Amino acid sequence: MDTSNSLVIETHNLSKAYKGVQALKDLNLTVKQHSIFGFLGPNGAGKTTTMKLLLGLIRPTSGGGTVFGQEIVRDSVAIRSRVGYLPQQPRFGDEMSAREMLHFTAGFFFRGPKAGIEERVDETLALVGLADKADRPIKGFSGGERQRLGIAQAQVNYPDLLILDEPTAALDPMGRRDVLEVMERLRAHTTIFYSTHILDDVQRVSDTVAILNHGELVAQGPIEDLLAGGDKPVYTLSLKGDARLALARIEALPWVSGVREVAHNGFVTWEISVTDDQAAEAQLLGHVLAGEALTVVEFSRKKFELEEIFMSIVEGGTDGR
Amino acid sequence: MVANTELQRVELSGWRTGLANLLGKENRAWWASRRWLVHSVLWTVIVNGMVAATVFLLAPRAGQDPLGIGIEMLFKFGGMALAIGTVVLVHDATIGERQLGVTEWLLSKPVSRPAYVLSKLLAHGRAVLVILVGLQGALGYGLLSLIIGEPLPLPPFLVGMAGLAVNTLFYLALTLMLGVLTANRIALLGASLGVALIGFLAVPLGSTVSTFVMLTPFALIHVLPTAVLGLPLPLSIWVPISITAVLSVIFVAVTLARFERLEF
């Protein structure tokens, strides 16, 4: 676990069925140390199931996985001693105050010194902006305050891995902003594996993303790669002039898998899907400009919006784009 | 900012991992609030209030032996009331936390599953033994001694108290077991209270307590008054006490085994 490329989570064909219904199918997931890993998928895709499997709250039907190299079923307690978890709908024992709850949580990890634990609780409360409500009973907390307290209890033990199930779902825009800022601050100290369906949040803080649909992993990788089209890059080319012959030339290229005309504003714009991005970047313009007198107005690799990718994958089945 | 290295880590300790912290939480819920006081007063009114009303008001009017009927009320009807009280008090211990998602949260910490079950058993066991059995027994002893004008013989009374304690723990273990076998609160309460009430009502149907009935846990509170009064029984009083204790241990074992397999 010393190098930055170490894997914190690794699953091998991890599967879970509930009474014959397959909730998770052959999940092969890798999460690197110090990443903020966004785990996306529509409701019922299997995100929470995956998190519970990693924590030993449920058992796999087949397959397995490791967290910190330890086996998720056999070494569950040892794994949980290094993890912080925020459940989707956090409930903690409403009769306690926020401070009492954090003391109780810290008691699972630390046995002393008392002053040190007290200080840790105080700084955790400050981190999530609950210092002024520390001694109020949790039952009076709003949804957003409960969520922030949930994050506080999840990281009071300096976890090596934070597993957050929909950490921003119940929050207003300001609350979401605060939670995302906390996550960014924690990145230096821990790995964050979180589920969400708020795509703006993912695009803002995540460095790695996986998309789950109907229990199957349909995309996984660095967010930059995903936004750049992954292994199916698309280039945008805008031309001035009669481009009909140029179109025929590029459609004939073996590494061009499709050309889509997207606009006609005095010039023609194509989205060209390719199978070889190096060939496209080195040769595409040459082939276009080989014949007619054309003017290239724009040539760039298309940057997708995460929502665009997510919707095409989820609505287009596992095949995606 | 306090550094991670400045804090002393709790060592993982197998099945005991997390037990001390959970037990502290459960004990605080009983003893660091007014809960213990409320239940002490409530069960004193119910159990010893019933004993006092019987021996001071009803027995003299009916011309009955106040000591005999007082012991009967304390151990038989008091035992039944404490069994029902235990079911009502403890049924929420596992099922309520499961339904709210608190169990899921607790088990996401370094907590072994046996530690979770044992924290419930030990904390609630201590509370019902002190508040429901010990306090009511001590007050009942004082009340009965007052009636006869001298201290009641202690050894047979303590045997009765041991029986009362085992009977109460039997219903605690039964309720905890049903709390992991079902997630339905009504089913849990129905089954636990049903066992207590059916057992209580079924036993006196025979004219006397038979040898066979003494081999069931339901006979225990019926034969305790006889044992405390030093009257003859078909079998030793330790037979139903032992059978009830063994069944309680079996219930705890089933609870531990089943909880190990539960998913949250």
Side-chain angles (χ1 to χ4, degrees):
Chain A
M1 301 302 306
D2 294 332
T3 68
S4 59
N5 285 329
S6 303
L7 293 180
V8 172
I9 297 172
E10 197 169 11
T11 67
H12 308 284
N13 298 324
L14 187 64
S15 302
K16 178 69 184 176
Y18 293 103
K19 293 176 183 170
V21 177
Q22 199 72 32
L24 198 64
K25 298 172 201 162
D26 295 325
L27 180 70
N28 291 297
L29 194 71
T30 52
V31 178
K32 285 181 183 171
Q33 195 176 24
H34 291 305
S35 60
I36 297 187
F37 194 105
F39 199 38
L40 306 180
N43 291 338
K47 305 186 295 293
T48 300
T49 297
T50 305
M51 293 180 162
K52 289 185 174 186
L53 283 165
L54 295 173
L55 289 162
L57 293 169
I58 55 177
R59 287 166 180 261
T61 312
S62 63
T66 58
V67 177
F68 313 119
Q70 294 176 297
E71 210 272 319
I72 56 173
V73 176
R74 191 190 59 215
D75 305 319
S76 176
V77 176
I79 288 170
R80 283 182 266 134
S81 70
R82 297 176 61 187
V83 171
Y85 171 56
L86 171 71
Q88 193 167 5
Q89 289 166 328
R91 295 296 297 261
F92 310 114
D94 284 356
E95 72 285 354
M96 286 190 271
S97 70
R99 186 188 301 282
E100 285 168 341
M101 192 274 252
L102 289 179
H103 265 286
F104 170 59
T105 307
F108 287 116
F109 302 94
F110 309 118
R111 55 190 166 85
K114 207 175 169 183
I117 294 173
E118 188 66 50
E119 195 182 336
R120 179 62 184 156
V121 167
D122 283 342
E123 68 191 25
T124 305
L125 285 163
L127 177 80
V128 297
L130 288 175
D132 57 336
K133 298 184 174 73
D135 297 306
R136 291 193 196 169
I138 300 169
K139 63 184 166 200
F141 277 27
S142 68
E145 287 165 344
R146 275 175 194 270
Q147 203 78 0
R148 281 189 278 159
L149 182 61
I151 290 174
Q153 63 79 31
Q155 62 87 57
V156 74
N157 59 314
Y158 305 94
D160 295 318
L161 169 65
L162 263 175
I163 297 179
L164 310 175
D165 197 356
E166 304 279 4
T168 56
L171 303 177
D172 58 24
M174 302 234 316
R176 268 176 58 206
R177 182 201 60 196
D178 293 346
V179 167
L180 294 176
E181 280 175 8
V182 169
M183 285 167 66
E184 282 180 318
R185 263 182 272 159
L186 290 171
R187 183 206 299 261
H189 310 286
T190 186
T191 304
I192 301 176
F193 179 69
Y194 76 106
S195 70
T196 185
H197 51 251
I198 303 175
L199 301 171
D200 284 350
D201 293 353
V202 179
Q203 206 158 341
R204 185 175 147 191
V205 298
S206 303
D207 46 48
T208 318
V209 172
I211 301 177
L212 206 59
N213 193 28
H214 298 304
E216 288 183 86
L217 187 66
V218 289
Q220 177 178 208
I223 193 158
E224 285 303 320
D225 287 1
L226 211 61
L227 297 179
D231 58 351
K232 295 174 183 171
V234 174
Y235 288 83
T236 304
L237 177 62
S238 294
L239 299 167
K240 223 180 234 177
D242 185 355
R244 280 172 295 181
L245 290 173
L247 176 62
R249 278 197 302 278
I250 61 170
E251 279 180 331
L253 293 169
W255 38 265
V256 171
S257 56
V259 181
R260 190 164 72 96
E261 193 171 312
V262 291
H264 250 308
N265 297 324
F267 45 84
V268 62
T269 299
W270 296 325
E271 283 187 357
I272 305 163
S273 303
V274 303
T275 54
D276 183 341
D277 56 348
Q278 289 182 348
E281 283 166 25
Q283 302 168 33
L284 192 61
L285 282 181
H287 287 289
V288 169
L289 299 172
E292 305 79 11
L294 293 168
T295 305
V296 175
V297 178
E298 185 198 347
F299 176 62
S300 63
R301 185 163 173 157
K302 183 178 177 183
K303 191 92 171 168
F304 289 92
E305 284 299 311
L306 190 56
E307 186 173 343
E308 208 177 345
I309 294 167
F310 180 82
M311 295 307 285
S312 76
I313 288 176
V314 170
E315 289 181 344
T318 55
D319 208 20
R321 282 175 297 109
Chain B
M1 181 174 166
V2 61
N4 192 2
T5 49
E6 290 171 37
L7 298 170
Q8 298 157 356
R9 287 259 165 192
V10 171
E11 301 293 326
L12 301 182
S13 49
W15 63 268
R16 287 178 291 124
T17 304
L19 177 60
N21 201 35
L22 286 174
L23 199 50
K25 169 183 167 275
E26 296 294 341
N27 280 330
R28 277 193 297 278
W30 266 109
W31 306 103
S33 66
R34 281 184 297 181
R35 189 182 186 189
W36 68 271
L37 184 62
V38 169
H39 283 284
S40 296
V41 172
L42 177 69
W43 292 102
T44 299
V45 170
I46 292 173
V47 176
N48 279 292
M50 192 166 63
V51 174
T54 308
V55 298
F56 291 119
L57 300 175
L58 298 179
R61 286 184 197 170
Q64 287 181 312
D65 166 31
L67 179 63
I69 201 163
I71 287 175
E72 180 97 350
M73 288 306 293
L74 180 62
F75 288 96
K76 194 170 174 180
F77 292 96
M80 185 62 204
L82 297 185
I84 291 171
T86 302
V87 170
V88 173
L89 280 173
V90 176
H91 86 280
D92 204 40
T94 51
I95 217 160
E97 286 195 350
R98 271 174 75 184
Q99 287 176 341
L100 287 173
V102 175
T103 311
E104 175 195 337
W105 171 61
L106 290 173
L107 292 178
S108 74
K109 305 300 174 198
V111 170
S112 80
R113 294 193 176 208
Y116 179 86
V117 172
L118 291 174
S119 71
K120 302 284 178 198
L121 182 71
L122 295 175
H124 290 285
R126 186 170 95 154
V128 297
L129 284 181
V130 171
I131 298 169
L132 271 63
V133 179
L135 178 63
Q136 302 316 315
L139 292 172
Y141 181 80
L143 207 56
L144 295 170
S145 298
L146 199 65
I147 294 164
I148 59 172
E150 59 180 291
L152 201 64
L154 200 54
F157 189 84
L158 289 178
V159 171
M161 289 302 298
L164 210 53
V166 168
N167 186 67
T168 308
L169 291 178
F170 172 82
Y171 285 98
L172 168 64
L174 174 70
T175 309
L176 283 179
M177 180 181 74
L178 291 171
V180 301
L181 291 178
T182 176
N184 185 316
R185 192 183 292 263
I186 294 169
L188 164 66
L189 276 174
S192 306
L193 295 175
V195 168
L197 288 170
I198 291 169
F200 183 73
L201 295 173
V203 170
L205 292 177
S207 54
T208 55
V209 173
S210 67
T211 307
F212 173 74
V213 171
M214 277 195 78
L215 295 174
T216 73
F218 309 118
L220 188 54
I221 55 174
H222 291 276
V223 296
L224 281 178
T226 313
V228 174
L229 289 166
L231 300 172
L233 282 166
L235 291 171
S236 162
I237 186 63
W238 293 107
V239 171
I241 289 178
S242 303
I243 286 171
T244 309
V246 168
L247 278 172
S248 305
V249 172
I250 291 170
F251 290 167
V252 172
V254 171
T255 307
L256 289 167
R258 176 66 187 140
F259 195 73
E260 197 65 43
R261 306 293 305 174
L262 276 186
E263 299 198 324
F264 296 94

